[in-house]
């Protein structure tokens, strides 16, 4: 069933049916206008805005707005404009907002028109939708003042900063994805190289050539015997120990002689010590 719905003939049949539905809705609404009630005709037009194809919805809303203005008057079209702004895509929404603001300006509702421009500005990139900002600027020149013009410029800068941030985030995300792909390829290549080296080492038997030799082994728990290691480096540690022991024996055998130091060497300091000893 899913494949059947996505097939090309099924889409063609669906489009033809919706086109027939659009024609039927228009004929039905015209019948209600000529031989029925106006509110019934408006109900048919409203249902037609949801039943037609998305690319035909903007045209259907224009027909609906024109019929409502002819039957009930221009102020009655505000609700239709609001619904159209909610359901249409960005491009058609910008066009509908400009028409809505122009209608409010003609009715003398300047504040309403300014609010519509402010609402529509959030989907108008100044680098792309320059016509919208030109129309809003002309509106402020004719109906605004210095404060409203400054507010319009502030909104324009904020919207431009918002779109710049979105562009920077998208570019950063794209760069991150590219770097992750590159790093993944590098990691895989390094991992393959490590595996290749480990396999080569195992096959050549290099791991078996490394031997650990213990220099001293205990025989009876007390005595120790030395094992000859061809890789051992002789640093003459035993000779240093023997020299230290010989020097200690020589110092013990030497006798220390004491000599009497003459009192003239100390001067008055020795005299003061003798006087102190006599007083005691």
């Amino acid at each position: 069933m899913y494949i059947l719905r996505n097939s090309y003939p099924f889409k063609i049949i669906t489009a033809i049916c919706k086109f027939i539905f659009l024609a039927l809705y228009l004929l039905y609404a015209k019948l209600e206008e000529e031989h029925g009630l106006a509110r019934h005709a408006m109900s048919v037009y409203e249902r037609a805005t949801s039943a037609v194809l998305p690319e035909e919805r903007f045209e259907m809303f224009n027909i609906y707005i024109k019929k409502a203005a002819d039957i009930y008057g221009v102020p009655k079209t505000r609700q239709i404009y609001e619904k159209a702004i909610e359901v249409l895509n960005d491009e058609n929404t910008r066009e509908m907002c400009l028409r809505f603001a122009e209608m409010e300006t003609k009715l003398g509702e300047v504040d309403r028109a300014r609010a519509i421009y402010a609402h529509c500005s959030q989907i108008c990139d100044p680098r792309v939708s320059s016509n919208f900002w030109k129309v809003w600027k002309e509106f402020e020149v004719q109906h605004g003042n210095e404060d409203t013009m400054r507010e319009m410029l502030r909104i324009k800068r904020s919207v431009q900063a918002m779109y710049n941030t979105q562009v920077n985030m998208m570019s950063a995300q794209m760069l991150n994805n590219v770097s992750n792909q590159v790093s993944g390829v590098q990691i895989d290549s390094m991992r393959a190289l490590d595996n290749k080296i480990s396999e080569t080492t195992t096959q050549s038997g290099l791991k078996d050539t490394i031997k650990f030799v213990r220099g001293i082994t205990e025989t009876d728990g007390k005595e120790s015997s030395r094992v000859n290691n061809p890789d051992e480096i002789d640093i003459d540690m035993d000779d240093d120990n023997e020299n230290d022991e010989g020097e200690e024996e020589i110092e013990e055998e030497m006798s220390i002689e004491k000599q009497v130091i003459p009192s003239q060497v100390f001067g008055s300091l020795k005299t003061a010590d003798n006087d102190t000893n006599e007083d005691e």
Side-chain angles (χ1 to χ4, degrees):
M1 181 63 72
Y2 179 77
I3 298 175
L4 180 61
R5 288 181 178 179
N6 290 325
S7 61
Y8 188 70
F10 182 80
K11 291 181 179 180
I12 294 176
I13 294 172
T14 304
I16 294 173
C17 292
K18 288 187 176 182
F19 179 77
I20 295 173
F21 290 158
L22 175 60
L24 291 175
Y25 274 113
L26 293 177
L27 292 174
Y28 184 23
K30 186 177 180 180
L31 177 65
E32 291 291 344
E33 288 178 15
E34 295 178 354
H35 305 283
L37 299 175
R39 59 187 181 86
H40 290 170
M42 292 296 103
S43 178
V44 173
Y45 285 121
E46 184 178 1
R47 284 182 291 174
T49 56
S50 302
V52 297
L53 294 172
E55 56 270 16
E56 297 176 349
R57 193 167 294 169
F58 179 70
E59 183 181 358
M60 190 66 225
F61 270 109
N62 289 330
I63 297 173
Y64 185 21
I65 290 170
K66 185 177 181 301
K67 295 296 182 179
D70 294 338
I71 296 173
Y72 294 108
V74 176
K76 197 67 176 180
T77 59
R78 287 172 178 165
Q79 297 179 354
I80 305 174
Y81 276 113
E82 292 174 358
K83 182 181 178 181
I85 292 171
E86 292 178 359
V87 300
L88 294 176
N89 55 27
D90 291 344
E91 183 178 359
N92 294 331
T93 298
R94 284 191 289 268
E95 183 66 25
M96 194 64 69
C97 285
L98 291 176
R99 294 183 182 182
F100 191 13
E102 183 180 1
M103 184 202 73
E104 294 290 354
T105 304
K106 291 180 179 180
L107 294 176
E109 298 290 343
V110 178
D111 294 335
R112 284 178 177 269
R114 186 175 290 111
I116 295 168
Y117 284 123
H119 175 76
C120 184
S121 64
Q122 301 302 314
I123 58 173
C124 296
D125 187 359
R127 295 169 298 182
V128 178
S129 304
S130 59
N131 184 44
F132 169 81
W133 297 99
K134 181 179 179 181
V135 173
W136 192 3
K137 183 178 180 181
E138 293 177 354
F139 168 81
E140 294 296 344
V141 170
Q142 296 178 2
H143 305 280
N145 50 34
E146 184 178 357
D147 294 334
T148 57
M149 180 66 72
R150 189 180 293 110
E151 180 67 15
M152 187 270 293
L153 295 176
R154 185 192 66 80
I155 295 174
K156 183 178 181 181
R157 289 193 299 269
S158 64
V159 172
Q160 187 172 1
M162 179 183 67
Y163 276 96
N164 291 335
T165 303
Q166 292 179 356
V167 171
N168 293 333
M169 291 177 63
M170 292 175 63
S171 60
Q173 186 176 4
M174 292 175 63
L175 291 174
N176 189 17
N177 294 333
V178 173
S179 63
N180 288 335
Q181 293 177 359
V182 173
S183 62
V185 173
Q186 292 178 354
I187 291 172
D188 293 338
S189 61
M190 291 296 294
R191 187 175 300 169
L193 182 61
D194 292 338
N195 294 332
K196 185 176 180 181
I197 292 173
S198 62
E199 291 176 359
T200 306
T201 304
T202 305
Q203 293 176 359
S204 61
L206 294 177
K207 293 183 179 179
D208 297 336
T209 60
I210 300 174
K211 296 181 180 180
F212 296 93
V213 180
R214 186 172 183 181
I216 298 174
T217 58
E218 295 182 358
T219 56
D220 298 333
K222 296 181 180 180
E223 298 179 357
S224 61
S225 63
R226 184 175 297 277
V227 178
N228 293 326
N229 185 3
D231 297 331
E232 183 180 4
I233 299 174
D234 189 7
I235 57 176
D236 297 333
M237 293 295 293
D238 296 337
D239 295 340
D240 295 339
N241 295 330
E242 291 176 357
N243 293 332
D244 294 339
E245 292 176 357
E247 291 177 357
E248 291 178 357
E249 292 177 357
I250 292 171
E251 290 178 357
E252 291 178 356
E253 293 177 357
M254 292 178 60
S255 60
I256 299 173
E257 296 180 357
K258 295 182 179 181
Q259 294 182 358
V260 179
I261 299 174
S263 60
Q264 289 80 5
V265 175
F266 298 99
S268 62
L269 186 62
K270 181 66 175 175
T271 305
D273 292 338
N274 293 332
D275 293 340
T276 303
N277 294 328
E278 291 177 357
D279 293 338
E280 294 177 354

